[in-house]
Amino acid sequence: MSRAARSYFRRSVRGSGISSRSLVSVEDVAYQIYGLRIPAFKRSPARFAFLPDEGRAFFQQCCVGRAPRDHVLLSESGKVWRRQHAGPFRLAAARAGLPSTFVFHGLRHTYASDLICHGVPLEVVARQLGHADTRTVASTYGHLAERYREEMIRSRFSALVTDPVEGRSIG
């Protein structure tokens, strides 16, 4: 997997719940809708995770010239991508100035936090992460949703009072 591919995978795809053990194949990449079928993992059933345009394009490019049952995520040596991410991830994290305690799973939290901070409903975030309901998401990220809600109200509520001196709304 190239450096650019690893970078994209770490930023946006990992948060959806694809792990080094989720062996996504070419047939799992949706061409009609934007996303991936995530194979069943541990106690979680198989599911579908939607991706942004760049994610869909990334995975479609990875599938070029491959058969439907071929794996999409391969190491630089062409082997099925399993645990090869740890070393490159630590190196990338160090180069980015992240603390040494930041681990690969932290990308999942970053993904969920980013969605919530951009107003994505908790139900949608829970589905993207593979949770059966919003309880885990609410207990882990609920404080972010409240901050977002406060910001939305403060920035979008029209002022009720006009400044008599300036003749403009106060707020």
Side-chain angles (χ1 to χ4, degrees), residues 7-66:
S7 173
Y8 181 79
F9 180 77
R10 285 190 301 264
R11 269 188 339 167
S12 140
V13 178
R14 172 62 176 108
S16 299
I18 300 171
S19 74
S20 59
R21 292 165 282 187
S22 297
L23 303 177
V24 175
S25 63
V26 171
E27 64 189 357
D28 294 324
V29 178
Y31 285 84
Q32 301 303 315
I33 54 177
Y34 293 85
L36 293 175
R37 187 186 74 80
I38 308 295
F41 181 68
K42 293 184 181 177
R43 293 178 283 147
S44 299
R47 62 193 170 82
F48 193 85
F50 292 95
L51 297 173
D53 293 348
E54 66 180 339
R56 179 181 183 205
F58 166 78
F59 274 96
Q60 287 177 338
Q61 182 61 40
C62 289
C63 294
V64 171
R66 295 194 185 161

Side-chain angles (χ1 to χ4, degrees), residues 61-89:
Q61 182 61 40
C62 289
C63 294
V64 171
R66 295 194 185 161
R69 301 248 181 213
D70 288 350
H71 293 293
V72 174
L73 303 173
L74 301 173
S75 69
E76 288 177 352
S77 63
K79 295 181 181 175
V80 174
W81 203 67
R82 293 189 187 272
R83 297 188 183 270
Q84 296 97 329
H85 69 281
F89 178 78

Side-chain angles (χ1 to χ4, degrees), residues 103-115:
V103 295
F104 194 69
H105 186 76
L107 295 171
R108 183 173 170 85
H109 294 297
T110 302
Y111 176 78
S113 298
D114 189 57
L115 290 175

